[in-house]
Amino acid sequence: MSNIVEINNLVKSYENGHIKALNGIDLTIEEGEFVSIIGPSGSGKSTLLNMLGALDSPDSGSINVAGYDLSSSKDLNKFRAQKIGFVFQLHNLIPNLSVVENVEIPMFTSKMSNSEMRSKALTLLEGVGLKEKASQKPSKLSGGERQRVAIARALANNPSVILADEPTGSLDSKTSSKILKQLIDLHKKENVTLIIVTHDMNVAKLADRVIEVLDGKLVNAGDKSLENKIVVE
Amino acid sequence: MSFLKFILKNPFRRKNSAILAIFGICIGIIVIVALGGITSGLVSTFEDTIHAGGADFSISGKETGNSAYGTNTISANWTNIIANVSGVEEVYPIYVVLTSIGDDYMNTLIGINPNGTSMADLGIVEGRIFTDNASEVIIGKVYAKDKNLSVGDSIKIKGENFKVVGIYETGNSNMAGAVFTSITKVGDLMDDKDSISNLYVKVKKGEDPKTVADRIDKLYGENITTVSSVMEMQQMATMLNSLQAASWGISLLAIVVGGLGIINTMLMSVFERTREIGVLKAVGWSNRKILTMIVGESLVITILSAIIGSVIGVAACLLLCPMIGLTPVFNVETFVQAFGIAIIVGIIGGLYPASKAVKLPPTEALRYE
């Protein structure tokens, strides 16, 4: 399989270089892989995820995702619209829009007609088991349901990579399991590369590979199992 | 859902704030529309008086001053003299007298050539025009209603019976309550065929009425005067210019006040939706799209304000202007001005908050609590 992510000596610092969030990261991720990124708070894992999604730019080094060189590419909006699907810890749904309209939001960047957008959004909602709640407002949904809408929204533009930042961080354990199952099913069904940042070891160990970040460096980048490893925090 | 529908939905998420912004801009628009209606109404009344209906200007004797038709007279010979002045197309004499009409001891009787009624801005709404030298009259709609007269009825003028053959409407309030017959008949009644009150003058196509009036003033200014004299035109023009300047002044004020209001509303909206803007960036929305969204939302508020403000402005004008004897006139320019200002305010008011939103780094926007 080819690599969908290739990172070489990635450096990112804040506050005029006083805080090194990423300090020489080297990483490759294969297409269709499920990877979890773990590490204590402030270790740089979210910064790494932001770099992968082109929400932040590196100070030095190279980062190539789905064929885009993110350290030099100018068309990052197009990259995010076409290649990346984000799932955040908080669902971040727009409250005055219905569930189906929320799923349509990323499709505004495509050339789809209104009816095509509606049809696709309903199919995606069906995939996460919420088609019957398509016309409801997010406020009428439970926390787990809202996160499932956010997953449907992340899949709206057929992304190559789903980046999930603590997707179950604000959910109870039962709902968390459901959401994770849904994400993993989609990853397998659509062969989408899934990268999850998490504190939760139970979530991390579901991945094909676990990457540990500590003080802006990778301390473990390739093991398939967590045995004899990592004690986070 | 279309992008347009998305833009239309957003401004009303904070209803109170949106209503306040609409209220602020509405006040400016109401004033612009109302002042526009009043100014155009004054222009219309001014034109009715000065241009004497379909005529370009009127001529009266020196002693009659600026009155459109006084009861003082000039010689009927002036009709031919003025007709020969270069640039004059048609001249119609009118003879205005105050005499007993029906049960009124004194009312206005106006004599005019039957072909010249258009000069006096008369439109027949019922019946026909009187024939020359016949005992026939046409009466104003207002007069007919007051006296309960209709076509076919008889009316006594200076003891002689006249038949009402037509009812007219006019934009000139001075003539709405008068009675018209042929000038020959008025001469008979007054036993004076050599006098007239005024002359209505229409200039040839392509001629400037002011130039022709100046020409007449230069030739015969010692004896007669053109009512639409330059001075009077200038005085009226100065007054209208002042009104127009006031209208633009208020427009400018509306832009500043409305602009500040909309900037405040949109800034609040952007701050409250910081995380949402972060999500829009994360899903690939370009800065241009986010800018269009926020300016679009601002425009929704201001255009809605323009619609509401225009309706209230027109309604207020129609309700209040008759109380001061003015008929407001609303023309397209007034509404173009109102909507133009609303659009300018919408764009200016939306651009600053939009630029703030565009400059937000997505990672910071997504972390915003």
Side-chain angles (χ1 to χ4, degrees), chain A residues 50 55-56 77-78 80-81 86 88 90 92 94-98 101 104-106 108-109 114 117-118 153 157, chain B residues 1-3 5-6 9-10 13 275-276 278-287 289 361-363 366-367 369:
Chain A
N50 288 338
L55 293 177
D56 210 345
N77 294 323
K78 193 176 165 191
R80 285 195 292 264
F86 282 99
F88 305 100
L90 293 170
N92 289 331
I94 299 175
N96 64 319
L97 300 185
S98 68
E101 286 169 341
E104 286 171 357
I105 287 292
F108 283 168
T109 57
N114 290 343
M117 279 164 60
R118 181 54 51 99
R153 181 181 63 189
N157 286 336
Chain B
M1 179 181 60
S2 64
F3 184 52
K5 190 179 168 191
F6 179 63
K9 275 188 167 192
N10 275 337
R13 287 161 68 169
R275 184 186 280 269
E276 190 180 303
V279 174
L280 295 177
K281 289 188 173 196
V283 300
W285 279 37
S286 62
N287 284 342
K289 204 166 192 76
T363 45
L366 286 164
R367 272 201 301 267
E369 296 289 341

